Amino acid sequence: MIVWRRWIFPLLLVVVFGACAAALVKIAFFPDRAETIVSPDAGITDPIIAVERGSVINALTLTGNIARDETFGVRSELDGTVTAVHVSEGAAVSAGQKLFTVRQEYPRKDIDVLAPEAGDVSEIALVKGQMTSVGTETYKLTPARYHLLATVDPVQLYRLVNAPSEATITITGGPAPFACTGVRVQVSAEGTASVRCAIPKDQTVFAGLPATLDLALGQVDDALVVPVTAVQGGAGSGIVWVDAADGSEPEERTVTLGVNDGVIVEVTEGLAEGDSIREFVPGFVAPVEEFCYEVSPGVEQCDSGMSW
């Protein structure tokens, strides 16, 4: 009994505890795993679409504000002596209104200097008895003309190539929409872009009014169209990937592009109706959309997911 108590029982306990420890280590760090077999057919393939016919309307709506045209300096076209100043600083004048009278010596006669257009005069640089000469700036004029200046995302500039000269303006709380003329695109040295349009003189407007500018940039019907996501490039020319029916690598093909509405684009050369192309160019990352739903009364949960 003494041998059992001193040697055998302790050895058995050591063996039992060691087996338990080994089992726990195996469960924790070396779990049994069934071998996973990945089928070759389980790979992710790029979506394929067919080239179809459709209509494309390239219309762009921009937001901006009404502003008064810029002040400019007016230079003298006469040599002579000022005999009279008929306006004061800051005066509002009409087109053809008398501003100054200058006495010309050869031949000797008095000539009235008239306002070239309606506006406000400022920085008058002449007084009675003063000599004036050709090319000297005599005053500044802020014309009674207005324009709409709308900001534009630089990425939209290609859509504005060959933009029409007219657009439609809608003023918040103002008159019915009306046409404006002289549409032009401006890009500053800092890279900011804007579209400017002249307000007709018969429209009553005020500087600072918010407004929208609607531009009809082009429209085609019954044209070959593809999603812009399928084209590398968006103006003039681009590249698409034509799918091969035999499963080989897609063909990289150059195409000529037409009207683009930001979602679909017209293809004028390089593809035929029914051609199969990759819906997304290589490396395209679809935008992430957020989906929200109610999990309990008054509690919403939002999840992000790919839009395709």
Side-chain angles (χ1 to χ4, degrees):
M1 288 296 294
I2 294 174
V3 173
W4 278 88
R5 288 178 181 176
R6 287 185 177 181
W7 300 102
I8 296 179
F9 284 141
L11 288 173
L12 289 175
L13 289 174
V14 170
V15 172
V16 170
F17 284 124
C20 291
L24 290 173
V25 169
K26 182 179 185 304
I27 292 172
F29 298 102
F30 304 99
D32 291 333
R33 292 182 298 178
E35 185 176 356
T36 302
I37 299 176
V38 179
S39 169
D41 297 333
I44 298 175
T45 58
D46 292 328
I48 304 298
I49 59 171
V51 178
E52 300 177 341
R53 290 193 172 273
S55 300
V56 186
I57 301 175
N58 185 7
L60 192 61
T61 298
L62 305 173
T63 59
N65 294 88
I66 303 297
R68 195 164 178 176
D69 282 12
E70 296 81 0
T71 300
F72 61 90
V74 181
R75 298 183 181 277
S76 174
E77 298 178 355
L78 297 170
D79 289 325
T81 304
V82 177
T83 59
V85 177
H86 305 290
V87 295
S88 58
E89 181 76 19
V93 298
S94 57
Q97 183 175 333
K98 189 187 300 185
L99 303 179
F100 315 102
T101 300
V102 177
R103 178 165 294 166
Q104 183 177 276
E105 293 298 331
Y106 303 103
R108 187 179 180 87
K109 63 178 179 179
D110 289 343
I111 300 175
D112 292 327
V113 178
L114 309 179
E117 61 178 298
D120 299 331
V121 295
S122 60
E123 300 185 29
I124 300 173
L126 295 177
V127 295
K128 184 179 179 180
Q130 179 180 341
M131 296 292 294
T132 182
S133 59
V134 174
T136 303
E137 185 174 298
T138 54
Y139 67 99
K140 291 185 182 297
L141 180 67
T142 304
R145 291 184 272 113
Y146 293 84
H147 62 272
L148 172 65
L149 192 65
T151 56
V152 58
D153 189 336
V155 75
Q156 301 287 1
L157 288 175
Y158 279 113
R159 292 180 64 186
L160 292 169
V161 174
N162 299 321
S165 60
E166 291 192 1
T168 300
I169 289 179
T170 304
I171 299 176
T172 305
F178 57 88
C180 67
T181 58
V183 174
R184 70 176 189 265
V185 180
Q186 304 175 151
V187 181
S188 69
E190 294 76 22
T192 58
S194 60
V195 175
R196 178 168 172 156
C197 185
I199 304 292
K201 292 182 179 180
D202 60 350
Q203 292 291 336
T204 301
V205 296
F206 304 95
L209 286 174
T212 58
L213 183 71
D214 294 307
L215 284 161
L217 301 172
Q219 177 175 345
V220 291
D221 297 309
D222 193 31
L224 293 179
V225 295
V226 297
V228 295
T229 57
V231 185
Q232 189 175 71
S237 64
I239 298 173
V240 298
W241 280 259
V242 181
D243 188 61
D246 58 4
S248 59
E249 287 296 314
E251 173 196 351
E252 187 177 306
R253 187 179 300 176
T254 300
V255 294
T256 303
L257 304 176
V259 178
N260 181 339
D261 68 358
V263 178
I264 58 175
V265 59
E266 175 195 14
V267 178
T268 59
E269 292 182 14
L271 288 175
E273 185 176 3
D275 282 349
S276 296
I277 63 171
R278 299 293 172 95
E279 185 176 3
F280 303 103
V281 301
F284 174 82
V285 178
V288 176
E289 292 185 351
E290 192 172 60
F291 303 93
C292 298
Y293 50 91
E294 191 174 42
V295 294
S296 62
V299 179
E300 260 193 357
Q301 179 172 327
C302 295
D303 296 324
S304 295
M306 303 304 285
S307 60
W308 54 273

